[in-house]
Amino acid sequence: DLSLELFNCSTKSAYAVGDQDKLKLRSDEVLAFGRCFEDKLIVLYYFVSALCDACLLNEAIAKAIWVLSMLGENLHQTSSRDETLILVEETKKMLIEVSDDDLLNYNLMTDSSKIMAMKFLSRLQVPLVMTNSDFFPIVVLQMVKLTLLHGMTPMSAIGFVYFGSMLASLGQLREGYRFANLA
């Protein structure tokens, strides 16, 4: 729809120039009159980005997690270190049969809702590092999992870099280097 596209472009422009009033005005219009949730995703992304830029990190995180849940990506926010380590091992098992060449030539992600989920997961990285480092690995692991199940996006590299960093911090330097280098 041309009207929706114009509002999305106007929202993006307002975000790019830092015009918070116009960003809110355009976002409110799309959020009020969008026909379906997918119509609202782009303005929600810029709204979350603006919250991050304004250092309203907890609000940005909460809004992004809500959007992700609406996209079917429910993240376990209360994982213990042991639960996180289990998730790391599960992710490593998913990757064990995938060669470096396979990853470099992986299919592209085509599902628009999964692509938007990856954008929101990627946008969560910095706010989570600054506010809730225990939840950070869950987001990284979800990015890697979505990539393996649905294909590569430009945001996949971010997931693999942080995954490699996680592995290195666990003493798994060779595996950590592999994924950081692939990204």
Side-chain angles (χ1 to χ4, degrees), residues 11-177:
T11 301
K12 182 177 181 179
S13 296
Y15 173 73
V17 299
D19 187 340
Q20 300 301 321
D21 293 332
K22 191 172 283 186
L23 174 70
K24 181 166 177 19
L25 181 67
R26 298 297 184 248
S27 297
D28 288 348
E29 289 286 322
V30 174
L31 295 175
F33 299 109
R35 287 178 272 154
C36 61
F37 187 69
E38 287 73 24
D39 285 352
K40 303 172 185 183
L41 286 171
I42 292 173
V43 297
L44 285 167
Y45 178 78
Y46 288 113
F47 181 74
V48 167
S49 296
L51 289 172
C52 291
D53 294 348
C55 294
L56 299 170
L57 303 180
N58 289 325
E59 289 178 49
I61 292 167
K63 181 63 82 172
I65 290 170
W66 174 77
V67 170
L68 287 163
S69 71
M70 296 296 290
L71 291 170
E73 302 300 327
N74 298 305
L75 304 172
H76 304 285
Q77 295 181 55
T78 58
S79 292
S80 68
R81 178 170 169 78
D82 290 338
E83 290 172 325
T84 301
L85 291 174
I86 290 168
L87 292 172
V88 168
E89 289 304 314
E90 288 174 0
T91 303
K92 284 174 51 182
K93 284 180 187 173
M94 291 176 74
L95 286 159
I96 205 146
E97 305 265 337
V98 182
S99 71
D100 292 357
D101 284 337
D102 289 342
L103 277 176
L104 291 173
N105 296 303
Y106 221 64
N107 290 332
L108 295 178
M109 190 178 291
T110 57
D111 183 330
S112 61
S113 68
K114 299 299 180 192
I115 293 169
M116 286 306 296
M118 287 291 286
K119 286 184 176 188
F120 278 94
L121 289 165
S122 176
R123 192 64 180 108
L124 278 173
Q125 301 299 322
V126 172
L128 285 175
V129 166
M130 296 175 73
T131 62
N132 188 352
S133 60
D134 293 339
F135 185 46
F136 177 76
I138 304 304
V139 171
V140 170
L141 295 170
Q142 187 67 17
M143 290 181 77
V144 173
K145 180 181 172 184
L146 279 174
T147 297
L148 293 173
L149 295 175
H150 300 283
M152 286 285 182
T153 72
M155 290 73 60
S156 297
I158 295 166
F160 282 113
V161 164
Y162 283 123
F163 182 62
S165 176
M166 284 172 44
L167 293 175
S169 73
L170 295 170
Q172 301 170 26
L173 299 177
R174 185 175 308 275
E175 290 175 321
Y177 177 77

